[in-house]
């Protein structure tokens, strides 16, 4: 029960912060990138609550059901991160067709996840873990590997757009852009560590804690110049 309460506190704090920042940005900002920013914040809240319910579930079937919900957050957050980074940098304009082409693989991966019991391409096998925070252990299939490659590609592209913007922006704006780069870099780092599984902290817990820190920094860096008017 203490572990569940701990995760519930993290999820609640993350939800309050992310929902509050999403509301302020969506309603008060005039910048185009406010929309992917707000949706990214809400995706993080989905990840946190689904992970909590996944870890707290007593049987494997229920854990996998909540894991499917959790992946809605992950698969939405990946293209949203890229859309935010590109729109924030302002160097490239993404049309609706380009955005759809980037998002279509996410939908395909989610279908593969939902239909995994019929082909086992995403998870070859699963079993309940002895570690509460890991929830369940899995042997990953080729579809999961493809998902990781897709995730790394989008995260890398997003960070490349932000770093390029930082290098070319004027000195007057470099501090704000630097904070945005640092916040996004923190998000990319915790997600990458989650994939590599080379850390002692369980992946989803690490991601949730990383989001808690990075969200405020991301908001300040992205909308700091509008804070007074907001």
């Amino acid at each position: 029960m203490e572990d569940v309460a701990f995760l519930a506190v993290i999820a609640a704090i993350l939800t309050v912060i992310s929902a509050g920042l999403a509301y302020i940005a969506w309603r008060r900002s005039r910048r185009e990138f406010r929309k992917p920013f707000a949706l990214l914040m809400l995706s993080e809240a989905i990840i946190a609550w689904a992970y909590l319910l996944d870890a707290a579930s007593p049987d494997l079937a229920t854990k996998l059901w909540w894991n499917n919900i959790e992946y809605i957050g992950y698969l939405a957050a990946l293209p949203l991160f890229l859309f935010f980074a590109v729109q924030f940098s302002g160097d490239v304009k993404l049309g609706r067709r380009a955005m759809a082409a980037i998002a279509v693989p996410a939908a395909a991966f989610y279908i593969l996840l939902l239909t995994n019991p019929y082909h086992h391409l995403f998870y070859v096998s699963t079993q309940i873990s002895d570690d509460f925070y890991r929830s369940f252990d899995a042997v990953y299939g080729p579809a999961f590997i493809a998902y990781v490659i897709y995730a790394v590609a989008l995260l890398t592209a997003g960070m490349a757009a932000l770093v390029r913007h930082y290098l070319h922006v004027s000195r007057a704006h470099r501090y704000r852009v630097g904070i945005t780069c640092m916040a996004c870099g923190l998000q990319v780092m915790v997600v990458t560590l989650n994939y590599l599984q080379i850390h002692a902290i369980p992946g989803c817990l690490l991601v949730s804690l990383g989001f808690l820190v990075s969200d405020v920094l991301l908001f300040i860096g992205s909308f700091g110049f509008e804070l007074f008017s907001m």
Side-chain angles (χ1 to χ4, degrees), residues 67-68 71 75 108-117 119-126 138-148:
N67 180 70
N68 292 344
Y71 266 89
L75 289 168
F109 285 125
Y110 193 65
I111 292 173
L112 286 171
L113 176 65
L114 293 179
T115 58
N116 188 73
H119 50 67
H120 301 288
L121 293 175
F122 207 90
Y123 296 135
V124 176
S125 63
T126 54
V139 176
Y140 299 107
F144 179 85
I145 303 302
Y147 157 71
V148 172

Side-chain angles (χ1 to χ4, degrees), residues 51-204:
Y51 169 55
L52 163 64
L53 295 169
D54 172 4
S57 297
D59 58 88
L60 183 60
T62 308
K63 287 178 178 294
L64 292 175
W65 193 89
W66 284 114
N67 180 70
N68 292 344
I69 303 300
E70 187 179 337
Y71 266 89
I72 294 177
Y74 281 123
L75 289 168
L78 288 169
L80 286 170
F81 175 82
L82 178 59
F83 298 158
F84 166 80
V86 171
Q87 291 178 5
F88 178 81
S89 66
D91 293 335
V92 180
K93 296 293 184 181
L94 289 177
R96 292 185 177 181
R97 291 185 178 180
M99 295 173 70
I102 294 171
V104 162
F109 285 125
Y110 193 65
I111 292 173
L112 286 171
L113 176 65
L114 293 179
T115 58
N116 188 73
Y118 302 102
H119 50 67
H120 301 288
L121 293 175
F122 207 90
Y123 296 135
V124 176
S125 63
T126 54
Q127 63 180 9
I128 295 180
S129 175
D130 295 331
D131 185 345
F132 169 82
Y133 290 104
R134 288 185 62 85
S135 185
F136 66 89
D137 296 319
V139 176
Y140 299 107
F144 179 85
I145 303 302
Y147 157 71
V148 172
I149 294 173
Y150 168 76
V152 171
L154 265 59
L155 294 174
T156 302
M159 283 305 303
L162 291 171
V163 172
R164 184 178 186 278
H165 184 50
Y166 175 80
L167 294 176
H168 290 84
V169 76
S170 64
R171 287 189 176 184
H173 296 88
R174 184 162 291 182
Y175 179 75
R176 177 177 57 84
V177 176
I179 293 177
T180 303
C181 289
M182 182 174 63
C184 290
L186 177 59
Q187 293 194 353
V188 171
M189 182 182 70
V190 295
V191 171
T192 303
L193 288 175
N194 181 29
Y195 291 146
L196 295 178
Q197 297 182 352
I198 58 176
H199 46 82
I201 302 175
C204 293

Side-chain angles (χ1 to χ4, degrees), residues 5-20:
F6 174 63
L7 291 181
V9 169
I10 293 177
I13 295 174
L14 178 61
T15 300
V16 170
I17 292 176
S18 60

